[in-house]
Amino acid sequence: MRQSSLVVVANRLPLDDNAAPDGACEWRRSPGGLASALHAILEGTPATWVGWGGGVGGAPILPDIGTLRLRPIALTEEELRGYYEGFANSTLWPLYHDAVEQPVFDRGWWETYRAVNHRFAEAAAEVAEPGAAVWVQDYHLQLVPQLLRELRPDVLIGFFMHVPFPPPELFMQLPRRVELLRGMLGADLVGFQREQAAHNLAQLAVKLLDAEYTAHSIRVDGRVVRTGAFPVSIDVAEMESLSARPYVRNQVAKLRHDLGVHKKVLLSVDRLDYTKGIEHRLTAYNELLRDGRLKVRDTVMVQVAVPSRERVESYRGLKDRIEGEVGRINGEYGRVGEPAIHYLNQPFDRADLAALYQTADVMVVTPLRDGMNLVAKEFVAARSDDAGALVLSEFAGAAAELEDAFLVNPHDLDGLKETLLRALDAKPADLARRMSAMRAHITYHDIHAWARAYLTALDHTGRLARTLPRQRVAAYSDRHR
Ligand code: ADP
Ligand code: G6P
């Protein structure tokens, strides 16, 4: 068994289960912040990534990707339903996102969630060399830190929660709250996007486990667990280099032409998820057209909504509602050859996303709750022209860093409408000032800085951080354009 000194454990591998026809292994980045973030730092790092390759049945044999080894985890159909679609995405996901959709508490899912977490912990234990660091990611694998500690007391265990971690009032609803809390607290360092989340964890540990805490640590069961905020980011250099490519420039010109050279373009890019506030922004746009404050002859919206978790009931309902609303808006306000909204329910290549970002006059990001929202940061990174406006929900983690965005409460429809109009009408000099301030921030706080900060906090020595590539290596899309 080949072992690594750095093991990353995340539900999803960055590949799906289809290798290329010639057997070659290629990055196929699944949409989603976690895959985007980890992909950028692990490509070129000597490490092992333990994760699910998508699909059901036996684990595919996946070749190494450069220095990165992939250790796939197989899931059965029943496990997919109970662990991934059930407990992770119908119980924890909605509850952690302020219960904007009703969480489902199905007693049948817990055992499967626990058993699958155990399988991930065993795989991590197998591939970790003595004294290795194991970095566990996100709400799917909340029991892994504790399970792994039992199997391998010699390893250093980090846990990072990409999604919000809720206040005690919400977390306390969970039927298995004590087990979930103990699971996370099996780590040596628990990282979050925001300080508030670390505070929520400490409050819960006091309440449920009789723990004691300081600003950045929790003492529980005779151990000290460190906590902290590490806001995740993007590969700024990748987005900048993509944006400068001739293919992308040509695409921008083509998109501009196809959408209407004189029109203002509103753009949104999301996984099709109820936390993203897609319905709220459609309502705002609909009302602005209805009130005559926007006209289809000079404005157009592009909504990219990549399919996500399609077998989960609440996602199916959302897709139907969104498609109905897009149809109604186009039916009412569109003209022949001139729709009010272009709706694209499909995955996009990174280069095509970069082209869309560069085409937008206003990027509209309106989640009702979001751990970070990397789309907002990608948009900023793609705008080396310092043009374009970012309308950003106050409820996205990114709002704490991108203070020069047009911040908005998406629940306040009138406020959202006014903010969209303000962003559309903003003067180029104002936009340039805002964009360059935001670009300066993310250039400094990019994904490499995030990984270095977390891993240095984990091992205190900087040894782990030094295993990360100093320079970015050519990313998937770069090699194909
Ligand atoms: P979440 O993690 O909740 O999906 P984020 O905004 O943090 O939200 O991350 C979304 C990631 O998925 C971004 O890196 C974005 O580029 C990518 N993405 C979004 N839509 C698409 C799409 N249609 N095709 C490919 N990637 C996408
Ligand atoms: C969010 C979660 C990730 C997840 C991603 C995509 O970013 O924090 O853990 O991978 O959404 O969702 P999916 O269910 O397709 O993995």
Side-chain angles (χ1 to χ4, degrees):
M1 172 57 57
R2 296 185 308 169
Q3 295 188 320
S4 298
S5 59
L6 174 62
V7 176
V8 169
V9 193
N11 173 60
R12 198 176 267 290
L13 287 174
L15 309 167
D16 68 7
D17 51 358
N18 299 317
D22 61 355
C25 177
E26 286 191 335
W27 287 105
R28 207 186 97 158
R29 274 165 76 158
S30 34
L34 183 147
S36 290
L38 292 180
H39 161 268
I41 50 170
L42 292 181
E43 194 180 33
T45 301
T48 299
W49 183 331
V50 177
W52 168 58
V56 289
I61 310 266
L62 296 172
D64 297 350
I65 299 176
T67 52
L68 176 64
R69 297 169 185 169
L70 303 179
R71 167 69 165 83
I73 299 286
L75 293 182
T76 64
E77 177 64 33
E78 195 196 335
E79 286 168 344
L80 190 65
R81 286 192 188 278
Y83 152 73
Y84 173 74
E85 294 170 354
F87 199 78
N89 283 316
S90 300
T91 307
L92 295 180
W93 177 269
L95 189 81
Y96 286 7
H97 288 85
D98 281 359
V100 294
E101 184 81 21
Q102 185 63 36
V104 181
F105 300 116
D106 181 320
R107 279 173 288 174
W109 294 337
W110 172 254
E111 275 314 313
T112 316
Y113 181 82
R114 213 194 50 76
V116 172
N117 269 247
H118 203 263
R119 187 171 313 145
F120 274 86
E122 280 177 336
E126 235 175 72
V127 298
E129 65 179 45
V134 180
W135 192 5
V136 183
Q137 315 283 325
D138 233 357
Y139 62 101
H140 313 86
L141 302 176
Q142 230 171 285
L143 303 179
V144 169
Q146 178 64 25
L147 293 168
L148 181 61
R149 181 167 294 283
E150 285 161 16
L151 295 168
R152 288 287 304 271
D154 62 304
V155 299
L156 196 55
I157 304 172
F159 180 78
F160 186 79
M161 186 71 99
H162 290 255
V163 301
F165 189 70
E169 308 84 270
L170 275 174
F171 190 86
M172 291 298 281
Q173 290 183 16
L174 277 170
R176 297 296 184 146
R177 59 201 187 189
V178 173
E179 288 100 317
L180 285 162
L181 209 54
R182 277 200 194 285
M184 286 167 86
L185 290 169
D188 294 289
L189 172 66
V190 180
F192 296 100
Q193 307 278 18
R194 309 284 305 268
E195 280 295 343
Q196 181 60 45
H199 184 68
N200 292 345
L201 177 69
Q203 297 292 310
L204 281 160
V206 169
K207 202 174 171 89
L208 294 174
L209 304 176
D210 220 11
E212 290 167 19
Y213 73 98
T214 66
H216 289 116
S217 71
I218 299 174
R219 177 175 287 280
V220 62
D221 300 338
R223 291 176 49 241
V224 173
V225 181
R226 287 170 294 124
T227 61
F230 303 86
V232 75
S233 194
I234 60 156
D235 191 345
V236 174
E238 180 214 22
M239 197 39 86
E240 282 176 354
S241 88
L242 278 175
S243 304
R245 283 180 184 258
Y247 168 81
V248 173
R249 303 230 154 180
N250 290 339
Q251 272 305 102
V252 175
K254 185 172 175 322
L255 281 166
R256 265 277 150 214
H257 174 266
D258 293 350
L259 290 167
V261 270
H262 301 299
K263 286 190 186 180
K264 292 269 189 179
V265 177
L266 298 162
L267 172 68
S268 291
V269 175
D270 315 87
R271 271 184 312 101
L272 207 160
D273 194 298
Y274 50 80
T275 58
K276 302 292 181 184
I278 301 173
E279 292 176 280
H280 292 62
R281 80 177 72 111
L282 289 179
T283 306
Y285 185 50
N286 186 13
E287 290 191 9
L288 287 169
L289 290 169
R290 182 200 65 194
D291 302 344
R293 300 175 79 188
L294 288 182
K295 298 255 190 288
V296 164
R297 68 166 177 268
D298 41 41
T299 320
V300 63
M301 178 181 264
V302 178
Q303 172 69 63
V304 177
V306 64
S308 185
R309 307 175 193 166
E310 286 183 290
R311 298 199 316 185
V312 177
E313 186 58 39
S314 46
Y315 287 74
R316 283 210 296 269
L318 175 74
K319 183 165 189 275
D320 291 346
R321 290 198 303 279
I322 287 174
E323 292 181 356
E325 187 60 12
V326 168
R328 271 189 293 279
I329 295 175
N330 277 335
E332 194 147 343
Y333 304 105
R335 302 193 302 194
V336 174
E338 216 175 21
I341 308 183
H342 293 266
Y343 168 73
L344 300 152
N345 183 220
Q346 48 195 270
F348 275 77
D349 183 271
R350 306 292 299 161
D352 292 311
L353 278 179
L356 278 167
Y357 291 143
Q358 285 190 36
T359 306
D361 291 292
V362 180
M363 183 83 209
V364 190
V365 183
T366 55
L368 307 177
R369 176 60 72 192
D370 208 330
M372 175 51 64
N373 198 288
L374 296 183
V375 162
K377 292 187 172 180
E378 287 171 0
F379 171 67
V380 171
R383 298 313 295 249
S384 43
D385 58 354
D386 278 345
L390 174 62
V391 170
L392 178 60
S393 165
E394 293 164 5
F395 301 105
E401 295 175 77
L402 304 179
E403 291 167 342
D404 289 285
F406 291 83
L407 294 177
V408 70
N409 168 6
H411 297 280
D412 170 11
L413 269 176
D414 291 328
L416 177 53
K417 286 161 66 180
E418 292 309 320
T419 308
L420 288 174
L421 292 177
R422 263 201 314 129
L424 281 164
D425 293 342
K427 300 257 181 315
D430 180 30
L431 294 178
R433 182 195 58 75
R434 290 168 182 263
M435 191 59 82
S436 73
M438 293 192 287
R439 280 170 56 71
H441 178 88
I442 62 163
T443 301
Y444 193 65
H445 296 97
D446 70 351
I447 188 65
H448 301 288
W450 174 74
R452 274 197 303 274
Y454 186 90
L455 292 176
T456 306
L458 181 61
D459 77 348
H460 290 306
T461 64
R463 184 184 60 81
L464 281 168
R466 282 194 292 277
T467 64
L468 302 173
R470 282 181 179 280
Q471 299 261 311
R472 64 176 289 279
V473 282
Y476 164 73
S477 334
D478 292 11
R479 290 200 292 261
H480 290 73
R481 295 280 177 216

